[in-house]
Amino acid sequence: MSEKTGRGSRTRMDGTPLRTSSSRRPTSKALDSLRMHNGEPSVFGSIKFAGVKRAPSKWCAVSSNSEPLGVYQMVLEAWKLSPPPVLIAVTGAAVSLNLSKRDEKIFRRGLRNAALQTNAWIVTGGSAAGVMQLVGSLVHESGRQGTTKQIVCLGIAPWGVVQDHEEMLASGRGQVFSAKEFAQGEQKTEFAQGEQKTKRTRLDPNHSHFILVDDGSEGEYGKEIDFRTKLENLICKNEDANAEDAKLPTPMVLVAVGGGSGTLTTIISTLEKERPCVVMADSGGVATALWKYWQDGTLPEMKDFPSLKDEAELKKILEDLPKIKAAGMREKGANKVRQLRFFHSTNDVDGENNELDRLILESILSDRDTTFEAIQHAVKWGGSDIIDHQLQRSKTVDAKQLTQCFEAALVLAAHGDENSLHVVETLIE
């Protein structure tokens, strides 16, 4: 264990100095009420990644038995984040991601555009591998392109698998922890198949915030899924009394890229909550297997999943596919669209059919029960084309509701929002 030899003089497990610096402790009653699995006060702070120039990422470790409301209040109070207008959750390959260069470009562009247009939070598993690392890199890229909007990218991971979590604990509450530098390819070896119980994973340096879920276990993956689902569901209810749009629930969409049996578990959980999912059908893994099963009932075989551990995991996938198809066929929202939708790319990378962001936005709005609610959200985004599409498909909106949306768009336009001018024009037409 690390030893505390005096204020600011802690050491690593190997005896080398532990590099920390003081950070002003955030004031939050919610933070002070949170606990670890063993009942001790939750540990929290910031983590400075080597080679990353932006501000350190915020992190907090909490018990898996924590009330999601208390954790969410901590996020709003201690981290001073505003409730998200939209939640985009991403799941998929955590070991290796076999996307073609074309599909990777389409995914990066589509997710980035959807997040920036809606001011969404992106939620992932937070590690520096697979689709989570890809999401982190596109968040970093959006910052380099000079946009004034900063994407909140929240990683939710099991505390017991995080690299150096003992040293993060020893660094003290409210400190800045300096993560050790590692080689570019090193983070992927932390997910070596068959060694998951002995390996650790590094957190992705381009995520802005981390919630690390502690259930007392060491080296076991998937322990955060249940808590993550509950937290996402709470955020979508948007019952925070201080939220500007407390009466307007937060819509959510799950985007799945590749993945294994854990990805299917996440998809099932999302569909059971009657929330929409977008699956990249050509991304490999269970995403492609799900598409083939959806089309003609084709069942995958062991050879289709090189990373599967054993036949038991394949059996679970075969059991889950019919459940997902049944839940995904349900129609919901003002437009009565299926809750599970698939995205296929084409050879024309910049063509209209490769606008993943459009499908994500349409799926987000399918999480709203009425056209009025859907248009209210689209007005906030400045999504004139989405509003036009919504009005063409729906016959349930009335003149009074459109007037309210029109007035909201006028207010945004008066504050210099150029996209809102296009919304005003669309609503006039």
Side-chain angles (χ1 to χ4, degrees):
M1 294 293 293
S2 300
E3 296 180 354
K4 182 177 179 181
T5 59
R7 183 175 178 84
S9 58
R10 301 179 179 88
T11 61
R12 295 186 185 277
M13 296 176 70
D14 60 5
T16 59
L18 182 65
R19 294 172 294 164
T20 64
S21 60
S22 296
S23 67
R24 186 175 181 180
R25 177 177 172 178
T27 301
S28 168
K29 292 182 179 179
L31 180 58
D32 291 338
S33 69
L34 296 177
R35 293 290 182 269
M36 302 290 285
H37 180 74
N38 61 6
E40 292 292 317
S42 285
V43 288
F44 62 92
S46 300
I47 180 167
K48 178 65 177 175
F49 294 95
V52 177
K53 295 181 180 180
R54 64 169 178 78
S57 302
K58 303 291 186 181
W59 68 274
C60 183
V62 301
S63 168
S64 58
N65 297 321
S66 300
E67 286 295 329
L69 179 58
V71 177
Y72 186 41
Q73 287 175 335
M74 179 278 298
V75 168
L76 301 180
E77 295 174 11
W79 292 347
K80 302 188 184 306
L81 295 177
S82 299
V86 170
L87 213 56
I88 302 177
V90 180
T91 188
V95 182
S96 59
L97 190 60
N98 298 315
L99 282 179
S100 66
K101 290 184 178 180
R102 178 192 68 197
D103 286 344
E104 180 177 327
K105 179 179 179 180
I106 291 169
F107 173 77
R108 293 167 71 97
R109 180 184 63 201
L111 182 59
R112 181 179 66 246
N113 289 349
L116 287 174
Q117 183 167 354
T118 62
N119 288 319
W121 289 5
I122 301 178
V123 182
T124 82
S127 63
V131 71
M132 297 163 285
Q133 185 180 30
L134 179 58
V135 170
S137 69
L138 72 87
V139 170
H140 173 66
E141 182 181 83
S142 69
R144 287 194 308 172
Q145 291 178 346
T147 176
T148 57
K149 294 182 179 180
Q150 298 298 314
I151 297 176
V152 173
C153 191
L154 173 63
I156 302 179
W159 171 248
V161 305
V162 174
Q163 184 77 33
D164 297 331
H165 71 264
E166 296 93 345
E167 297 177 11
M168 293 169 68
L169 175 65
S171 69
R173 304 178 83 215
Q175 300 295 312
V176 178
F177 175 77
S178 293
K180 290 180 288 188
E181 193 168 2
F182 58 96
Q184 269 298 308
E186 188 179 341
Q187 66 267 38
K188 294 184 180 180
T189 65
E190 302 298 327
F191 285 90
Q193 288 300 312
E195 300 179 26
Q196 287 190 345
K197 291 185 182 301
T198 59
K199 291 290 185 179
R200 298 287 181 86
T201 181
R202 299 185 184 277
L203 297 175
D204 179 74
N206 294 307
H207 281 58
S208 58
H209 301 79
F210 296 96
I211 295 174
L212 308 176
V213 182
D214 175 28
D215 76 329
S217 66
E218 288 286 334
E220 295 188 29
Y221 291 78
K223 296 296 185 176
E224 81 291 356
I225 293 177
D226 184 57
F227 177 82
R228 172 177 167 176
T229 300
K230 291 177 180 178
L231 180 63
E232 289 171 344
N233 194 50
L234 173 74
I235 293 173
C236 289
K237 290 181 180 179
N238 198 11
E239 294 178 343
D240 178 62
N242 297 318
E244 181 181 350
D245 299 306
K247 295 182 180 180
L248 190 62
T250 300
M252 171 184 159
V253 64
L254 175 70
V255 180
V257 186
S261 58
T263 299
L264 290 186
T265 300
T266 303
I267 293 175
I268 290 174
S269 178
T270 302
L271 292 173
E272 287 177 346
K273 293 287 192 297
E274 297 189 332
R275 305 201 186 283
C277 298
V278 172
V279 176
M280 288 196 71
D282 305 315
S283 59
V286 298
T288 299
L290 180 55
W291 163 247
K292 291 179 178 178
Y293 179 78
W294 183 279
Q295 283 292 94
D296 55 21
T298 300
L299 292 173
E301 302 177 11
M302 196 72 182
K303 62 182 178 62
D304 297 322
F305 303 104
S307 63
L308 284 191
K309 291 180 294 186
D310 49 39
E311 292 284 348
E313 192 170 356
L314 176 62
K315 181 181 179 182
K316 183 178 187 309
I317 290 174
L318 297 179
E319 291 173 349
D320 286 345
L321 288 175
K323 299 176 186 177
I324 291 177
K325 185 170 184 178
M329 289 291 291
R330 297 180 192 137
E331 296 182 346
K332 187 177 177 290
N335 296 334
K336 299 300 179 185
V337 298
R338 294 196 313 264
Q339 287 295 277
L340 182 62
R341 304 173 76 179
F342 294 90
F343 176 83
H344 290 275
S345 61
T346 65
N347 290 329
D348 182 9
V349 175
D350 297 317
E352 183 177 341
N353 291 332
N354 281 331
E355 293 181 352
L356 175 61
D357 49 322
R358 186 181 183 92
L359 181 58
I360 291 175
L361 294 176
E362 290 178 359
S363 297
I364 290 170
L365 293 185
S366 76
D367 194 23
R368 299 296 89 228
D369 292 328
T370 68
T371 298
F372 178 46
E373 284 186 351
I375 293 178
Q376 278 183 299
H377 280 287
V379 166
K380 291 174 59 180
W381 309 340
S384 56
D385 56 338
I386 297 295
I387 291 174
D388 183 57
H389 179 73
Q390 184 74 30
L391 290 173
Q392 288 182 25
R393 295 192 59 176
S394 178
K395 299 178 181 178
T396 60
V397 67
D398 62 29
K400 183 178 179 180
Q401 292 173 336
L402 278 180
T403 298
Q404 292 182 40
C405 293
F406 179 74
E407 290 173 347
L410 279 177
V411 171
L412 291 172
H415 284 82
D417 187 338
E418 184 176 342
N419 289 329
S420 294
L421 292 174
H422 300 303
V423 170
V424 171
E425 292 172 357
T426 299
L427 292 173
I428 290 175
E429 295 171 359

